[in-house]
PDB file of all heavy atoms in Angstrom:
ATOM      1  N   SER B 416       5.665  12.444  -7.496  1.00  0.00           N
ATOM      2  CA  SER B 416       4.904  11.881  -8.611  1.00  0.00           C
ATOM      3  C   SER B 416       3.788  11.007  -8.051  1.00  0.00           C
ATOM      4  O   SER B 416       3.814  10.560  -6.937  1.00  0.00           O
ATOM      5  CB  SER B 416       5.815  11.014  -9.523  1.00  0.00           C
ATOM      6  OG  SER B 416       6.300   9.920  -8.803  1.00  0.00           O
ATOM      7  N   GLY B 417       2.834  10.760  -8.906  1.00  0.00           N
ATOM      8  CA  GLY B 417       1.712   9.897  -8.494  1.00  0.00           C
ATOM      9  C   GLY B 417       0.576   9.977  -9.490  1.00  0.00           C
ATOM     10  O   GLY B 417       0.513  10.868 -10.315  1.00  0.00           O
ATOM     11  N   ASP B 418      -0.290   8.992  -9.413  1.00  0.00           N
ATOM     12  CA  ASP B 418      -1.500   8.994 -10.241  1.00  0.00           C
ATOM     13  C   ASP B 418      -2.574   8.292  -9.393  1.00  0.00           C
ATOM     14  O   ASP B 418      -2.761   7.078  -9.481  1.00  0.00           O
ATOM     15  CB  ASP B 418      -1.276   8.247 -11.561  1.00  0.00           C
ATOM     16  CG  ASP B 418      -2.524   8.352 -12.452  1.00  0.00           C
ATOM     17  OD1 ASP B 418      -3.595   8.733 -11.982  1.00  0.00           O
ATOM     18  OD2 ASP B 418      -2.370   7.998 -13.663  1.00  0.00           O
ATOM     19  N   TYR B 419      -3.232   9.103  -8.581  1.00  0.00           N
ATOM     20  CA  TYR B 419      -4.095   8.518  -7.522  1.00  0.00           C
ATOM     21  C   TYR B 419      -5.377   7.946  -8.086  1.00  0.00           C
ATOM     22  O   TYR B 419      -5.934   6.958  -7.593  1.00  0.00           O
ATOM     23  CB  TYR B 419      -4.389   9.565  -6.446  1.00  0.00           C
ATOM     24  CG  TYR B 419      -3.153  10.200  -5.851  1.00  0.00           C
ATOM     25  CD1 TYR B 419      -3.139  11.484  -5.399  1.00  0.00           C
ATOM     26  CD2 TYR B 419      -1.954   9.474  -5.740  1.00  0.00           C
ATOM     27  CE1 TYR B 419      -2.010  12.125  -4.857  1.00  0.00           C
ATOM     28  CE2 TYR B 419      -0.813  10.033  -5.220  1.00  0.00           C
ATOM     29  CZ  TYR B 419      -0.824  11.374  -4.784  1.00  0.00           C
ATOM     30  OH  TYR B 419       0.266  11.947  -4.282  1.00  0.00           O
ATOM     31  N   HIS B 420      -5.850   8.523  -9.199  1.00  0.00           N
ATOM     32  CA  HIS B 420      -7.012   7.948  -9.832  1.00  0.00           C
ATOM     33  C   HIS B 420      -6.752   6.560 -10.336  1.00  0.00           C
ATOM     34  O   HIS B 420      -7.534   5.627 -10.154  1.00  0.00           O
ATOM     35  CB  HIS B 420      -7.564   8.839 -10.947  1.00  0.00           C
ATOM     36  CG  HIS B 420      -8.282  10.030 -10.416  1.00  0.00           C
ATOM     37  ND1 HIS B 420      -9.565   9.925  -9.851  1.00  0.00           N
ATOM     38  CD2 HIS B 420      -7.972  11.347 -10.293  1.00  0.00           C
ATOM     39  CE1 HIS B 420      -9.975  11.129  -9.457  1.00  0.00           C
ATOM     40  NE2 HIS B 420      -9.015  12.008  -9.742  1.00  0.00           N
ATOM     41  N   ARG B 421      -5.627   6.383 -11.036  1.00  0.00           N
ATOM     42  CA  ARG B 421      -5.237   5.086 -11.572  1.00  0.00           C
ATOM     43  C   ARG B 421      -5.066   4.061 -10.407  1.00  0.00           C
ATOM     44  O   ARG B 421      -5.471   2.935 -10.483  1.00  0.00           O
ATOM     45  CB  ARG B 421      -3.954   5.221 -12.380  1.00  0.00           C
ATOM     46  CG  ARG B 421      -3.527   3.895 -13.055  1.00  0.00           C
ATOM     47  CD  ARG B 421      -2.689   4.184 -14.310  1.00  0.00           C
ATOM     48  NE  ARG B 421      -1.417   4.834 -13.997  1.00  0.00           N
ATOM     49  CZ  ARG B 421      -0.262   4.163 -13.801  1.00  0.00           C
ATOM     50  NH1 ARG B 421      -0.219   2.873 -13.886  1.00  0.00           N
ATOM     51  NH2 ARG B 421       0.836   4.846 -13.540  1.00  0.00           N
ATOM     52  N   LEU B 422      -4.482   4.528  -9.333  1.00  0.00           N
ATOM     53  CA  LEU B 422      -4.287   3.709  -8.151  1.00  0.00           C
ATOM     54  C   LEU B 422      -5.647   3.148  -7.676  1.00  0.00           C
ATOM     55  O   LEU B 422      -5.806   1.988  -7.396  1.00  0.00           O
ATOM     56  CB  LEU B 422      -3.647   4.586  -7.091  1.00  0.00           C
ATOM     57  CG  LEU B 422      -3.144   4.036  -5.785  1.00  0.00           C
ATOM     58  CD1 LEU B 422      -1.919   3.162  -6.029  1.00  0.00           C
ATOM     59  CD2 LEU B 422      -2.780   5.171  -4.819  1.00  0.00           C
ATOM     60  N   PHE B 423      -6.593   4.081  -7.535  1.00  0.00           N
ATOM     61  CA  PHE B 423      -7.915   3.676  -7.098  1.00  0.00           C
ATOM     62  C   PHE B 423      -8.700   2.874  -8.130  1.00  0.00           C
ATOM     63  O   PHE B 423      -9.498   2.060  -7.752  1.00  0.00           O
ATOM     64  CB  PHE B 423      -8.697   4.894  -6.530  1.00  0.00           C
ATOM     65  CG  PHE B 423      -8.499   5.074  -5.099  1.00  0.00           C
ATOM     66  CD1 PHE B 423      -7.330   5.577  -4.551  1.00  0.00           C
ATOM     67  CD2 PHE B 423      -9.494   4.697  -4.154  1.00  0.00           C
ATOM     68  CE1 PHE B 423      -7.108   5.731  -3.214  1.00  0.00           C
ATOM     69  CE2 PHE B 423      -9.289   4.861  -2.801  1.00  0.00           C
ATOM     70  CZ  PHE B 423      -8.089   5.385  -2.320  1.00  0.00           C
ATOM     71  N   ASP B 424      -8.476   3.181  -9.409  1.00  0.00           N
ATOM     72  CA  ASP B 424      -9.085   2.357 -10.461  1.00  0.00           C
ATOM     73  C   ASP B 424      -8.717   0.915 -10.250  1.00  0.00           C
ATOM     74  O   ASP B 424      -9.551  -0.001 -10.317  1.00  0.00           O
ATOM     75  CB  ASP B 424      -8.608   2.802 -11.847  1.00  0.00           C
ATOM     76  CG  ASP B 424      -9.164   4.131 -12.252  1.00  0.00           C
ATOM     77  OD1 ASP B 424     -10.164   4.611 -11.582  1.00  0.00           O
ATOM     78  OD2 ASP B 424      -8.673   4.771 -13.202  1.00  0.00           O
ATOM     79  N   LYS B 425      -7.426   0.704 -10.040  1.00  0.00           N
ATOM     80  CA  LYS B 425      -6.955  -0.673  -9.902  1.00  0.00           C
ATOM     81  C   LYS B 425      -7.522  -1.327  -8.642  1.00  0.00           C
ATOM     82  O   LYS B 425      -7.950  -2.436  -8.709  1.00  0.00           O
ATOM     83  CB  LYS B 425      -5.421  -0.661  -9.865  1.00  0.00           C
ATOM     84  CG  LYS B 425      -4.791  -1.968  -9.621  1.00  0.00           C
ATOM     85  CD  LYS B 425      -3.705  -2.326 -10.640  1.00  0.00           C
ATOM     86  CE  LYS B 425      -3.306  -3.734 -10.525  1.00  0.00           C
ATOM     87  NZ  LYS B 425      -2.096  -4.055 -11.313  1.00  0.00           N
ATOM     88  N   ALA B 426      -7.470  -0.600  -7.533  1.00  0.00           N
ATOM     89  CA  ALA B 426      -7.949  -1.196  -6.282  1.00  0.00           C
ATOM     90  C   ALA B 426      -9.453  -1.519  -6.364  1.00  0.00           C
ATOM     91  O   ALA B 426      -9.841  -2.599  -5.912  1.00  0.00           O
ATOM     92  CB  ALA B 426      -7.650  -0.205  -5.117  1.00  0.00           C
ATOM     93  N   THR B 427     -10.231  -0.576  -6.866  1.00  0.00           N
ATOM     94  CA  THR B 427     -11.685  -0.815  -6.885  1.00  0.00           C
ATOM     95  C   THR B 427     -11.968  -1.952  -7.878  1.00  0.00           C
ATOM     96  O   THR B 427     -12.869  -2.746  -7.637  1.00  0.00           O
ATOM     97  CB  THR B 427     -12.481   0.416  -7.290  1.00  0.00           C
ATOM     98  OG1 THR B 427     -11.924   1.004  -8.457  1.00  0.00           O
ATOM     99  CG2 THR B 427     -12.448   1.459  -6.184  1.00  0.00           C
ATOM    100  N   SER B 428     -11.160  -2.032  -8.944  1.00  0.00           N
ATOM    101  CA  SER B 428     -11.532  -3.121  -9.898  1.00  0.00           C
ATOM    102  C   SER B 428     -11.059  -4.492  -9.323  1.00  0.00           C
ATOM    103  O   SER B 428     -11.754  -5.491  -9.429  1.00  0.00           O
ATOM    104  CB  SER B 428     -10.957  -2.808 -11.303  1.00  0.00           C
ATOM    105  OG  SER B 428      -9.786  -3.524 -11.534  1.00  0.00           O
ATOM    106  N   MET B 429      -9.926  -4.504  -8.616  1.00  0.00           N
ATOM    107  CA  MET B 429      -9.502  -5.771  -7.994  1.00  0.00           C
ATOM    108  C   MET B 429     -10.490  -6.158  -6.970  1.00  0.00           C
ATOM    109  O   MET B 429     -10.813  -7.363  -6.739  1.00  0.00           O
ATOM    110  CB  MET B 429      -8.154  -5.603  -7.335  1.00  0.00           C
ATOM    111  CG  MET B 429      -6.974  -5.777  -8.259  1.00  0.00           C
ATOM    112  SD  MET B 429      -5.376  -5.379  -7.442  1.00  0.00           S
ATOM    113  CE  MET B 429      -5.359  -6.641  -6.161  1.00  0.00           C
ATOM    114  N   ALA B 430     -11.028  -5.209  -6.248  1.00  0.00           N
ATOM    115  CA  ALA B 430     -11.986  -5.507  -5.150  1.00  0.00           C
ATOM    116  C   ALA B 430     -13.361  -5.860  -5.690  1.00  0.00           C
ATOM    117  O   ALA B 430     -14.082  -6.589  -5.014  1.00  0.00           O
ATOM    118  CB  ALA B 430     -12.090  -4.301  -4.163  1.00  0.00           C
ATOM    119  N   GLY B 431     -13.671  -5.361  -6.831  1.00  0.00           N
ATOM    120  CA  GLY B 431     -15.072  -5.422  -7.269  1.00  0.00           C
ATOM    121  C   GLY B 431     -15.883  -4.573  -6.375  1.00  0.00           C
ATOM    122  O   GLY B 431     -16.865  -4.969  -5.759  1.00  0.00           O
ATOM    123  N   TYR B 432     -15.438  -3.335  -6.253  1.00  0.00           N
ATOM    124  CA  TYR B 432     -15.947  -2.428  -5.193  1.00  0.00           C
ATOM    125  C   TYR B 432     -17.499  -2.280  -5.282  1.00  0.00           C
ATOM    126  O   TYR B 432     -18.196  -2.344  -4.225  1.00  0.00           O
ATOM    127  CB  TYR B 432     -15.251  -1.114  -5.316  1.00  0.00           C
ATOM    128  CG  TYR B 432     -15.676  -0.137  -4.286  1.00  0.00           C
ATOM    129  CD1 TYR B 432     -15.311  -0.297  -2.910  1.00  0.00           C
ATOM    130  CD2 TYR B 432     -16.415   1.025  -4.584  1.00  0.00           C
ATOM    131  CE1 TYR B 432     -15.670   0.582  -1.979  1.00  0.00           C
ATOM    132  CE2 TYR B 432     -16.794   1.917  -3.617  1.00  0.00           C
ATOM    133  CZ  TYR B 432     -16.431   1.704  -2.277  1.00  0.00           C
ATOM    134  OH  TYR B 432     -16.804   2.626  -1.327  1.00  0.00           O
ATOM    135  N   GLU B 433     -18.019  -2.066  -6.478  1.00  0.00           N
ATOM    136  CA  GLU B 433     -19.467  -1.856  -6.571  1.00  0.00           C
ATOM    137  C   GLU B 433     -20.253  -3.063  -6.120  1.00  0.00           C
ATOM    138  O   GLU B 433     -21.268  -2.956  -5.432  1.00  0.00           O
ATOM    139  CB  GLU B 433     -19.843  -1.460  -8.015  1.00  0.00           C
ATOM    140  CG  GLU B 433     -19.562   0.015  -8.242  1.00  0.00           C
ATOM    141  CD  GLU B 433     -19.769   0.441  -9.637  1.00  0.00           C
ATOM    142  OE1 GLU B 433     -20.606  -0.198 -10.345  1.00  0.00           O
ATOM    143  OE2 GLU B 433     -19.095   1.422 -10.062  1.00  0.00           O
ATOM    144  N   GLN B 434     -19.769  -4.196  -6.506  1.00  0.00           N
ATOM    145  CA  GLN B 434     -20.373  -5.460  -6.095  1.00  0.00           C
ATOM    146  C   GLN B 434     -20.281  -5.617  -4.585  1.00  0.00           C
ATOM    147  O   GLN B 434     -21.285  -6.011  -3.938  1.00  0.00           O
ATOM    148  CB  GLN B 434     -19.591  -6.614  -6.776  1.00  0.00           C
ATOM    149  CG  GLN B 434     -20.070  -8.002  -6.406  1.00  0.00           C
ATOM    150  CD  GLN B 434     -21.363  -8.385  -7.126  1.00  0.00           C
ATOM    151  OE1 GLN B 434     -21.739  -7.744  -8.123  1.00  0.00           O
ATOM    152  NE2 GLN B 434     -21.996  -9.436  -6.620  1.00  0.00           N
ATOM    153  N   MET B 435     -19.160  -5.254  -4.038  1.00  0.00           N
ATOM    154  CA  MET B 435     -18.984  -5.328  -2.556  1.00  0.00           C
ATOM    155  C   MET B 435     -20.034  -4.466  -1.871  1.00  0.00           C
ATOM    156  O   MET B 435     -20.691  -4.844  -0.913  1.00  0.00           O
ATOM    157  CB  MET B 435     -17.598  -4.808  -2.126  1.00  0.00           C
ATOM    158  CG  MET B 435     -16.492  -5.752  -2.200  1.00  0.00           C
ATOM    159  SD  MET B 435     -14.878  -4.919  -1.874  1.00  0.00           S
ATOM    160  CE  MET B 435     -14.620  -5.282  -0.153  1.00  0.00           C
ATOM    161  N   ARG B 436     -20.215  -3.244  -2.377  1.00  0.00           N
ATOM    162  CA  ARG B 436     -21.189  -2.356  -1.773  1.00  0.00           C
ATOM    163  C   ARG B 436     -22.607  -2.891  -1.949  1.00  0.00           C
ATOM    164  O   ARG B 436     -23.405  -2.730  -1.008  1.00  0.00           O
ATOM    165  CB  ARG B 436     -21.082  -0.934  -2.393  1.00  0.00           C
ATOM    166  CG  ARG B 436     -19.884  -0.160  -1.967  1.00  0.00           C
ATOM    167  CD  ARG B 436     -20.005   0.337  -0.528  1.00  0.00           C
ATOM    168  NE  ARG B 436     -18.870   1.158  -0.096  1.00  0.00           N
ATOM    169  CZ  ARG B 436     -18.590   1.402   1.200  1.00  0.00           C
ATOM    170  NH1 ARG B 436     -19.297   0.908   2.186  1.00  0.00           N
ATOM    171  NH2 ARG B 436     -17.537   2.148   1.473  1.00  0.00           N
TER     172      ARG B 436
END
Side-chain angles (χ1 to χ4, degrees):
Chain B
S416 65
D418 184 348
Y419 307 148
H420 283 287
R421 184 154 63 93
L422 188 71
F423 267 75
D424 289 345
K425 176 130 190 192
T427 50
S428 101
M429 278 173 63
Y432 182 70
E433 279 174 26
Q434 177 78 14
M435 274 173 101
R436 284 289 181 199

